[in-house]
C-alpha cells in the first residue's frame, strides 16, 4: 500500500513539475495539458531536461517521494547530544518505500512482518493488488442520511477557553456559524439542528455526495466543520486565543422515512431540553 502511494506521489509530482514549467514558459493551462497528454515518465524527464535544463532526479526528495513520519530509535537527545539509552523520537524523512531497504533498516516498525518483507532482496514491490482490499461502504439508497457532528472532550476544551456555564452564547453562535457554512459547502444538506457541542445535518434523500461513500462523507464533514470552527474563532472570540484545537467526531445514520427523521430530531431536542450529555455511540 505504501509503495503504491509513493508511486502515485512520483507520477503526480512529475506531471505537475512539467505542467507548471510549461505554463510559466508561456503556454496556457489547456496547451500544457495537451502537450503532456500520453507522455511517459521518460518523456517527461526528457522534456524537463531539454526545454528547462531541469534534472527531475535533482528535485528535492520531499517533492518526488513524499514524506514519512515514524518513531525512530535514537541515542541522542532533542539537541543531538549522545545519550546512553535508546529512545523513540518522532522523525520526518523522505525515504524510498518502493524497495525493501527502508524496512530492512527499520524492522521494529512492522515487527515480525518485516522478515517477510526482506525476503525479496532488492526487488521492488508489486502494489496494484492492494486496491482489491479497498472496502467501500455505500450508504443505502432511498434513505435520508443524517450526519451528526459532536465535539470530543468538550468539557476540557470549554474549561481551557473559559466558556460560560451552563451556556456560552458566543460559543453557541460560533457553532451556528459553522452550521451555516456547512449548508453552503454541501448543498444537499436540507436541515440542521444543534445544541451545546453538537449539530445534526439532514441530507436530502437522493444525495449522491461522494457516491454515498460513507468514509468520504465522514472525513469530509468532520474536516470541514473543524476548519470552519477554527477559521471563525477570532470573529467570535477576538480577545481569546485558540490554545487547543477542537476535535469533532462524526456519526452517520440512515432512515427510510421522513417520519423517522422527524422523530430523530425530536429526540435530539428532548436531550437538549433535559440537558443530558450526548450518548457516546452511533444512533440507530
Amino acid at each position: 500500500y505504501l509503495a503504491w502511494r509513493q508511486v502515485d506521489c512520483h507520477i503526480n509530482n512529475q506531471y505537475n513539475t512539467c505542467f507548471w514549467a510549461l505554463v510559466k514558459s508561456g503556454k496556457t493551462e489547456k496547451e500544457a495539458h495537451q502537450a503532456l497528454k500520453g507522455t511517459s515518465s521518460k518523456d517527461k524527464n526528457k522534456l524537463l531536461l531539454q526545454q528547462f535544463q531541469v534534472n527531475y532526479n535533482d528535485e528535492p526528495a520531499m517533492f518526488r517521494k513524499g514524506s514519512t513520519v515514524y518513531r525512530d530509535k535514537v541515542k541522542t537527545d532533542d539537541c543531538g547530544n549522545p545519550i546512553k539509552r535508546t529512545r523513540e523520537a518522532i522523525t520526518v524523512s523522505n525515504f524510498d518505500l518502493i524497495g525493501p531497504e527502508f524496512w530492512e533498516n527499520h524492522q521494529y516498525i512492522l515487527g515480525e512482518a518485516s522478515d517477510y518483507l526482506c525476503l525479496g532482496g532488492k526487488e521492488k514491490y508489486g502494489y496494484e493488488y492492494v486496491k482489491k482490499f479497498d472496502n467501500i461502504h455505500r450508504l443505502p439508497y432511498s434513505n435520508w442520511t443524517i450526519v451528526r457532528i459532536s465535539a470530543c472532550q468538550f468539557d476540557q476544551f470549554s474549561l481551557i477557553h473559559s466558556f460560560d456555564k451552563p451556556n456560552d452564547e458566543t460559543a453557541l453562535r460560533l457553532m451556528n456559524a459553522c452550521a451555516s457554512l456547512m449548508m453552503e459547502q454541501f448543498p444537499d444538506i436540507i436541515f440542521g439542528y444543534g445544541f451545546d457541542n453538537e449539530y445534526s445535518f439532514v441530507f436530502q434523500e437522493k444525495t449522491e455526495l461522494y457516491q454515498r461513500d460513507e468514509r468520504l462523507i465522514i472525513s469530509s464533514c468532520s474536516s470541514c466543520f473543524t476548519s470552519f470552527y477554527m477559521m471563525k474563532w477570532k470573529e467570535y472570540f477576538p480577545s481569546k486565543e485558540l490554545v487547543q484545537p477542537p476535535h469533532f467526531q462524526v456519526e452517520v445514520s440512515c432512515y427510510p422515512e421522513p417520519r423517522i427523521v422527524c422523530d430523530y430530531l425530536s429526540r435530539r431536542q428532548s436531550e437538549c431540553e433535559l440537558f443530558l450529555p450526548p450518548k457516546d455511540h452511533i444512533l440507530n
Side-chain angles (χ1 to χ4, degrees):
Y1 171 88
L2 294 169
W4 167 42
R5 301 318 307 141
Q6 191 166 68
V7 167
D8 267 9
C9 169
H10 160 70
I11 292 172
N12 293 335
N13 183 69
Q14 187 185 44
Y15 186 96
N16 289 334
T17 302
C18 293
F19 174 81
W20 287 110
L22 290 169
V23 170
K24 291 176 182 179
S25 71
K27 289 186 179 295
T28 65
E29 292 189 6
K30 184 177 180 180
E31 290 171 339
H33 281 305
Q34 189 62 36
L36 294 173
K37 187 176 181 180
T39 56
S40 65
S41 178
K42 184 178 180 180
D43 295 333
K44 294 182 182 71
N45 281 338
K46 185 176 179 180
L47 180 149
L48 288 171
L49 191 59
Q50 292 185 352
Q51 294 191 32
F52 304 104
Q53 293 73 54
V54 172
N55 186 334
Y56 181 73
N57 291 326
D58 292 337
E59 291 291 289
M62 182 171 62
F63 300 165
R64 295 181 290 108
K65 298 181 180 182
S67 300
T68 58
V69 56
Y70 60 97
R71 291 180 175 85
D72 200 5
K73 293 186 180 296
V74 299
K75 287 191 174 183
T76 57
D77 60 21
D78 291 335
C79 297
N81 301 314
I83 57 177
K84 292 182 178 181
R85 292 186 178 181
T86 300
R87 69 181 184 92
E88 288 188 344
I90 296 177
T91 303
V92 177
S93 59
N94 314 106
F95 286 109
D96 186 349
L97 300 177
I98 299 176
E101 183 176 352
F102 173 81
W103 301 112
E104 288 175 349
N105 295 329
H106 301 81
Q107 295 188 29
Y108 56 87
I109 294 177
L110 295 178
E112 295 180 358
S114 297
D115 294 336
Y116 172 77
L117 293 173
C118 297
L119 292 178
K122 298 299 180 183
E123 295 181 4
K124 294 184 177 181
Y125 300 138
Y127 52 85
E128 289 292 337
Y129 74 95
V130 300
K131 298 177 183 179
K132 298 178 182 178
F133 289 88
D134 196 12
N135 183 22
I136 298 176
H137 178 236
R138 301 199 186 278
L139 299 174
Y141 286 92
S142 300
N143 273 256
W144 300 83
T145 298
I146 294 182
V147 172
R148 179 187 169 204
I149 299 175
S150 57
C152 303
Q153 299 178 331
F154 196 70
D155 287 342
Q156 179 183 359
F157 182 87
S158 59
L159 179 64
I160 291 174
H161 295 94
S162 303
F163 284 0
D164 291 337
K165 297 296 182 181
N167 294 297
D168 189 301
E169 183 178 350
T170 304
L172 292 173
R173 288 194 289 111
L174 173 56
M175 291 288 288
N176 290 340
C178 295
S180 298
L181 290 172
M182 287 289 288
M183 293 196 75
E184 293 180 13
Q185 181 72 25
F186 301 101
D188 283 357
I189 295 177
I190 59 172
F191 189 81
Y193 171 73
F195 69 94
D196 194 27
N197 64 344
E198 71 165 69
Y199 241 100
S200 295
F201 297 100
V202 181
F203 285 76
Q204 61 173 305
E205 181 184 15
K206 296 181 179 179
T207 182
E208 285 294 333
L209 180 65
Y210 301 121
Q211 291 76 52
R212 302 181 74 90
D213 185 333
E214 182 180 23
R215 297 173 307 172
L216 295 180
I217 291 174
I218 287 175
S219 61
S220 182
C221 288
S222 175
S223 61
C224 281
F225 197 92
T226 304
S227 298
F228 294 150
Y229 195 94
M230 297 179 71
M231 182 177 69
K232 286 287 186 179
W233 177 267
K234 273 296 182 183
E235 181 178 333
Y236 287 86
F237 293 103
S239 60
K240 286 185 180 181
E241 289 295 327
L242 184 62
V243 298
Q244 176 180 299
H247 301 278
F248 292 94
Q249 64 182 5
V250 176
E251 302 166 352
V252 177
S253 304
C254 292
Y255 300 109
E257 299 176 9
R259 176 186 59 80
I260 305 177
V261 173
C262 293
D263 287 344
Y264 166 88
L265 294 169
S266 296
R267 176 185 174 187
R268 301 313 307 143
Q269 190 167 62
S270 68
E271 292 214 8
C272 170
E273 292 176 348
L274 294 172
F275 209 70
L276 293 175
K279 306 294 188 298
D280 291 326
H281 62 266
I282 296 177
L283 299 175
N284 295 316

